[in-house]
Amino acid sequence: MALKAVHVSDVPNLDLVPENASLALYSSGFSQAVDVGRAEFQIPKFLVIGHRGSGMNILQSSDRRMKAIKENSILSFNAAATFAVDFIEFDVQVTKDGFPVIFHDDYILSEDNGTVYERRVTELSLSEFLCYGPQIEQGKVGKSLLRKTREGKILNWNVENEDSFCTLQEAFQRVDPSLGFNIELKFDDHIVYQQHNLIHVLQSILKVVFEHGNERPIIFSTFHPDAAMLVRKLQSTYPVFFLTNGGTEIYYDVRRNSLEEAIKLCLEGGLQGIVSEVRGIFRNPGAVTKIKEAKLSLLTYGKLNNVPEAVYLQHLMGVEGVIVDLVQEITEAVSSMIKPMREEGEEERVFEREEQIGNKAKPQFSERELSFLLKLIPELIQL
């Protein structure tokens, strides 16, 4: 992969909001307001974030939960909101006519007269994008929807509870307003984006966010280093987190290849935090201390976040939130294992000491055991 370096100092601000604008990051559900224009940004509680709503779709999985609700849909977002999640995470791309839409993959796959074809999402108009899959209009039949697995197998994209595609604006209008949005700015790893292309995409997304965001908690995140720095340059209202695999995969752009590089990028670009693949944290637990010393927030994503014990261990390590697929299971586990921070500005974590809460035992680690686990886990995590 090759990425063109963008000189963010040359990019004009959008002037979408006043310079002193601040974000009430936690409105109805939380009492703390956070001014993200400051260098330091703090998350007041351990966050549980629903991945693509109430979980991503894995069509080849034998686990029905991974095919229960269409990912990245209004139905999935509102289903997640019925549990104690703080945010939902979803992927935003911009159509060729300038509309931000919610969809993860770079391509949409469909079938016509027995022939499978694919079209790049960003090369579709909004009307073309919306014509795939289930339709809102009663009696209207959309084009078939397929999906390619990582192994290259093409499957019908069928789930138990279907829903239509949606735009970013619809998400703001139709999703529970108390639910935070973690908006991932999606870019294709195999494209070299010119500066003006990045700016156009980001401006299209920011326009919708500032017109419809209101008091909703919002975080931006992206794997694209230049896009991360640009969106921070273009606005100062909402926090920007850099997404990284934490060294579990290697890319042409070295800024994506380690947690240390992620820290460096965040400090250079004034970003507020990092979202790492959880294996990157377990393989390199010492990086958590470096991230904290840099006054950056830390969230994680990955399959291990569907394991309650792995989530609890991250909490002990200092991770501030997890992106999960099994929303119900993990929100219940977190409620049982982790006591929320006290409201009156208390910064240290407060742990329940009861042996059992709600008939669910929580893991107990002594300092010696925790030290042993942190040394052992990197040996167990495979690339």
Side-chain angles (χ1 to χ4, degrees):
M1 183 194 76
L3 296 174
K4 180 181 178 62
V6 176
H7 300 288
V8 296
S9 60
D10 297 332
V11 180
N13 283 292
L14 287 180
D15 295 324
L16 288 171
V17 292
E19 283 296 320
N20 61 349
S22 64
L23 166 67
L25 181 61
Y26 300 99
S27 49
S28 59
F30 304 89
S31 60
Q32 297 192 27
V34 180
D35 180 358
V36 300
R38 298 177 304 177
E40 186 174 352
F41 168 78
Q42 292 183 336
I43 294 176
K45 69 182 287 286
F46 189 83
L47 302 179
V48 178
I49 303 170
H51 187 208
R52 304 183 199 173
S54 57
M56 68 181 294
N57 295 153
I58 304 180
L59 303 178
Q60 67 274 27
S61 175
S62 59
D63 189 338
R64 290 183 61 183
R65 295 174 297 182
M66 309 310 294
K67 296 176 285 188
I69 306 176
K70 179 64 66 65
E71 69 176 38
N72 277 336
S73 68
I74 301 296
L75 181 63
S76 184
F77 300 157
N78 283 324
T82 63
F83 303 103
V85 294
D86 305 289
F87 283 74
I88 52 171
E89 179 273 350
F90 53 78
D91 313 274
V92 174
Q93 304 183 57
V94 175
T95 61
K96 70 177 182 180
D97 48 351
F99 290 92
V101 296
I102 299 177
F103 193 76
H104 175 270
D105 301 353
D106 297 320
Y107 293 90
I108 287 181
L109 272 67
S110 188
E111 185 177 11
D112 185 27
N113 294 323
T115 300
V116 175
Y117 66 92
E118 62 181 24
R119 298 193 65 183
R120 184 180 291 278
V121 173
T122 54
E123 293 177 355
L124 297 172
S125 67
L126 176 61
S127 60
E128 290 172 329
F129 171 78
L130 294 176
C131 76
Y132 290 92
Q135 300 294 294
I136 295 179
E137 185 179 336
Q138 190 172 3
K140 186 176 181 180
V141 178
K143 296 181 180 179
S144 66
L145 192 59
L146 310 175
R147 196 175 207 182
K148 184 182 293 185
T149 68
R150 285 194 170 187
E151 296 73 31
K153 187 175 182 180
I154 296 176
L155 303 172
N156 288 313
W157 197 340
N158 297 324
V159 296
E160 292 181 19
N161 297 282
E162 292 284 1
D163 198 11
S164 58
F165 288 168
C166 67
T167 65
L168 179 59
Q169 179 175 330
E170 286 179 299
F172 278 113
Q173 294 170 337
R174 298 172 58 194
V175 174
D176 185 334
S178 67
L179 190 62
F181 283 178
N182 173 191
I183 300 174
E184 180 182 339
L185 309 169
K186 191 76 176 179
F187 296 93
D188 190 331
D189 287 344
H190 301 96
I191 291 180
V192 176
Y193 292 90
Q194 301 298 317
Q195 177 176 310
H196 69 276
N197 295 131
L198 289 174
I199 294 173
H200 168 71
V201 169
L202 297 175
Q203 286 179 329
S204 299
I205 294 170
L206 289 173
K207 183 175 185 295
V208 173
V209 170
F210 281 105
E211 287 179 356
H212 301 280
N214 298 320
E215 296 300 315
R216 187 186 298 274
I218 295 170
I219 293 172
F220 289 115
S221 63
T222 182
F223 283 102
H224 196 302
D226 296 326
M229 297 180 75
L230 276 169
V231 76
R232 182 71 179 95
K233 178 73 174 178
L234 292 171
Q235 60 83 45
S236 60
T237 302
Y238 301 109
V240 181
F241 282 47
F242 181 54
L243 272 160
T244 176
N245 289 309
T248 60
E249 295 181 43
I250 301 301
Y251 296 88
Y252 178 81
D253 190 329
V254 296
R255 296 174 295 177
R256 298 184 62 180
N257 288 342
S258 70
L259 288 167
E260 287 74 17
E261 286 291 336
I263 294 170
K264 186 188 304 183
L265 179 79
C266 288
L267 295 178
E268 289 177 357
L271 311 187
Q272 285 82 14
I274 293 170
V275 186
S276 174
E277 214 286 347
V278 59
R279 293 176 301 161
I281 294 298
F282 282 156
R283 284 176 54 86
N284 185 12
V288 177
T289 301
K290 296 177 183 177
I291 291 168
K292 296 303 174 185
E293 289 175 348
K295 301 187 184 303
L296 297 171
S297 294
L298 175 61
L299 308 174
T300 67
Y301 71 94
K303 291 181 180 179
L304 282 173
N305 281 352
N306 295 318
V307 180
E309 292 77 9
V311 171
Y312 183 70
L313 180 57
Q314 291 179 72
H315 174 65
L316 295 181
M317 293 170 65
V319 174
E320 293 161 272
V322 289
I323 300 173
V324 308
D325 292 302
L326 302 183
V327 170
Q328 179 177 357
E329 291 80 353
I330 299 303
T331 53
E332 291 176 352
V334 166
S335 297
S336 296
M337 295 189 297
I338 302 173
K339 182 177 180 180
M341 294 176 66
R342 295 171 186 165
E343 292 185 359
E344 297 300 322
E346 184 173 316
E347 295 185 0
E348 73 272 12
R349 289 180 173 79
V350 184
F351 297 93
E352 288 287 346
R353 293 304 179 190
E354 291 82 6
E355 291 184 359
Q356 197 168 354
I357 303 174
N359 295 322
K360 291 187 177 181
K362 106 179 171 179
Q364 299 286 339
F365 301 113
S366 67
E367 289 188 11
R368 182 178 180 183
E369 289 169 333
L370 180 58
S371 176
F372 173 76
L373 283 171
L374 293 179
K375 291 177 182 178
L376 177 63
I377 285 175
E379 303 300 324
L380 299 178
I381 301 298
Q382 301 296 318
L383 283 174

